[in-house]
Amino acid sequence: MNSIKTNLYISPIPSNEIGNVLPVERQDIIDKTTNFSLKRQRYYVWKLLEYALKHSYDLDINEISFMVDNNGKWHCDDCFFSLSHCDETVAVAVSKRPVGVDIENLKPFPKFCYTIGMIPSSYKESLTYEEQLIWLCNFLEKEVIPVVNNNSE
């Protein structure tokens, strides 16, 4: 049986600028969001989805038909995806099988990083939040996701 690859994308929110996204139904939700922090999260998680779809499956978000279920979860016919956002970070998982991602504000985030990796905590303590996030993404890409993908067979 062929394995089905799951791709995970995690990013800090890069700025306070908010532009437009497609489809217009998603833009309407962003426009109606009054809490600026939540508005940024909703915008940047969708921009990360746009990147993930293009990078993983060469899908153009302008050509995808999105639907929203009764619970407010977005879907498309081309693949499965999951969105999550918290504080200054957004995450997207995409796959050809059902997938889920949940990003949480772990206090303290550095302590979490210290417990899962195989590098000295003194090194991780010197990293900025963005550097810790990059380290975590690399760890997930090299150590965790291959195991998940191999177990999908």
Side-chain angles (χ1 to χ4, degrees):
M1 177 182 357
N2 292 336
S3 66
I4 299 174
K5 187 174 180 182
T6 297
N7 293 314
L8 175 64
Y9 299 84
I10 304 172
S11 174
I13 295 175
S15 76
N16 285 331
E17 294 180 26
I18 296 175
N20 294 315
V21 297
L22 291 174
V24 294
E25 296 84 4
R26 180 64 181 191
Q27 185 64 48
D28 288 343
I29 291 170
I30 293 169
D31 289 343
K32 291 176 183 173
T33 304
T34 56
N35 178 295
F36 185 71
S37 178
L38 182 57
K39 181 180 278 209
R40 285 175 64 229
Q41 292 169 14
R42 287 179 172 172
Y43 171 74
Y44 281 105
V45 78
W46 201 261
K47 294 304 285 182
L48 187 59
L49 174 64
E50 182 178 341
Y51 175 83
L53 293 172
K54 186 68 173 171
H55 186 263
S56 296
Y57 302 117
D58 199 29
L59 295 171
D60 185 338
I61 204 159
N62 300 310
E63 299 172 3
I64 297 174
S65 178
F66 289 96
M67 296 129 315
V68 183
D69 67 21
N70 292 335
N71 297 319
K73 182 168 173 54
W74 289 83
H75 303 272
C76 71
D77 292 332
D78 301 285
C79 67
F80 294 93
F81 64 91
S82 180
L83 310 174
S84 184
H85 47 80
C86 182
D87 295 335
E88 295 295 314
T89 308
V90 293
V92 172
V94 295
S95 185
K96 292 294 185 175
R97 65 171 179 239
V99 65
V101 65
D102 184 25
I103 193 159
E104 298 291 333
N105 183 4
L106 297 174
K107 296 187 189 234
F109 176 70
K111 187 174 182 181
F112 171 72
C113 288
Y114 306 154
T115 62
I116 63 170
M118 294 172 243
I119 62 174
S121 62
S122 59
Y123 170 72
K124 284 183 239 172
E125 289 171 356
S126 68
L127 300 176
T128 67
Y129 172 78
E130 286 81 11
E131 291 169 332
Q132 290 174 6
L133 190 57
I134 290 168
W135 176 87
L136 178 61
C137 290
N138 287 333
F139 177 80
L140 292 171
E141 179 181 19
K142 292 177 182 152
E143 302 293 331
V144 177
I145 292 176
V147 173
V148 170
N149 286 332
N150 286 338
N151 288 338
S152 70
E153 296 179 356

